[in-house]
Amino acid sequence: ITAKASIIFVTLQYNVTNSATEGQASESVSLYYYGVKDLATVFFYMLVAVIIHAIIQEYVLDKINRRMHFSKTKHSKFNESGQLSAFYLFSCIWGTFILISENYISDPTILWRAYPHNLMTFQMKFFFISQLAYWLHAFPELYFQKTKKEDILRQLVYIGLYLFHIAGAYLLNLNHLGLVLLVLHYFVEFLFHISRLFYFSDEKYQKGFSLWAVLFVLGRLLTLILSVLTVGFGLARAENQKFDISTGNFNVLAVRIAVLASICITQAFMMWKFINFQLRRWREHSATQAPAVKKKPTVTKGRSSRKGTENGVNGTVTSNGADSPRNRKDKSS
């Protein structure tokens, strides 16, 4: 393709230059908004994600699998956790860097102040483009990884949930809130998958799952608190509450209710899955730890039982004892 066409796929589109004046020094800052051309950029980086996925699979995970000799079930789960733990770790570090560089941690009111956040910095927009590209690449990976039919539905559900929430935060200009919630969620998920990798190498390792269980519940509570604080209180008290697609303002009551409903339903679904997972682990653990009940040998009273103990071992008659009568003392004439 031509150079003009390739730029649409490779570089970020829809940039504007704002001149920010601070005191006597003035500097120009390039900011970005979203548009239809972002689909081409997402498609290109989806292909990049497929290539990176194949590199990690071939040069890291396959070598470990050959050494550990996993079964088919553990093999697929190990590959899944290996890929996701690498992605979650990279996204956590990248997202935390954005939060620190743009002072999100020192000033939490930036989550709802000056909404709509229709202008993004380069790293903010590139972060969301990369997130959409990664979760879109998960669809062809179901074919490349030869995923089992019984696992396809489960993976389609969580891939669809990721795409729905990330695209929703991106299109509704809630990228500040979306970034914070993604970093929080990715950290908890990284701990789970890295604990599962250690568990596959040594099944006695259980401490990581206990820590993950505590952080999982705390993560769900923090997600609900931040969502209600931002959407239910911050945006509800904002002055500009007019639906305007041209300016990217979606701060109306119906949209706020839909956003909070989707977040609450998703968190409830995750807690339901989490409780079922913990109950299944508890049943499996109690089944393995339960001592086996030993059956006491039943001894029948009478002459036959005494003969059995004399002729055999533990009540079983030996061939020698059964075939030969007991030797009697010869009477002296």
Side-chain angles (χ1 to χ4, degrees), residues 107-147:
D107 187 10
T109 60
I110 202 173
L111 294 177
W112 62 84
R113 193 176 69 241
Y115 180 85
H117 308 135
N118 52 353
L119 295 178
M120 298 170 281
T121 60
F122 174 83
Q123 56 182 354
M124 174 71 82
K125 179 169 183 177
F126 193 40
F127 179 83
F128 276 92
I129 291 292
S130 301
Q131 296 298 312
L132 292 172
Y134 180 85
W135 291 111
L136 280 175
H137 109 283
F139 288 115
E141 285 297 336
L142 295 177
Y143 172 76
F144 295 146
Q145 296 295 324
K146 298 179 181 179
T147 307

Side-chain angles (χ1 to χ4, degrees), residues 289-307:
Q289 294 296 327
V293 180
K294 295 182 179 179
K295 294 182 179 180
K296 296 181 179 180
T298 56
V299 179
T300 56
K301 296 180 180 181
R303 186 175 179 182
S304 60
S305 63
R306 288 195 300 270
K307 286 184 179 180

Side-chain angles (χ1 to χ4, degrees), residues 30 63 74 88 131 135-136 144 162 172 179 225 262 282:
S30 294
K63 291 183 178 180
K74 285 188 176 181
Y88 288 144
Q131 296 298 312
W135 291 111
L136 280 175
F144 295 146
Y162 275 114
L172 295 177
L179 176 63
I225 291 171
S262 64
W282 178 75

Side-chain angles (χ1 to χ4, degrees), residues 36-106:
V36 181
K37 294 181 182 179
D38 289 341
L39 295 175
T41 312
V42 170
F43 175 76
F44 173 77
Y45 286 101
M46 181 191 71
L47 301 180
V48 175
V50 171
I51 296 172
I52 296 175
H53 189 117
I55 292 173
I56 296 175
Q57 183 66 44
E58 182 175 356
Y59 292 99
V60 179
L61 298 178
D62 286 346
K63 291 183 178 180
I64 299 176
N65 278 320
R66 284 192 289 267
R67 292 182 180 180
M68 300 300 293
H69 302 288
F70 290 131
S71 60
K72 290 183 178 180
T73 303
K74 285 188 176 181
H75 180 83
S76 61
K77 290 184 178 180
F78 181 84
N79 290 337
E80 179 186 3
S81 294
Q83 294 285 350
L84 288 176
S85 59
F87 169 73
Y88 288 144
L89 178 62
F90 176 75
S91 297
C92 273
I93 296 174
W94 189 8
T96 305
F97 175 77
I98 298 175
L99 292 177
I100 295 174
S101 62
E102 299 192 7
N103 298 323
Y104 284 24
I105 299 177
S106 60

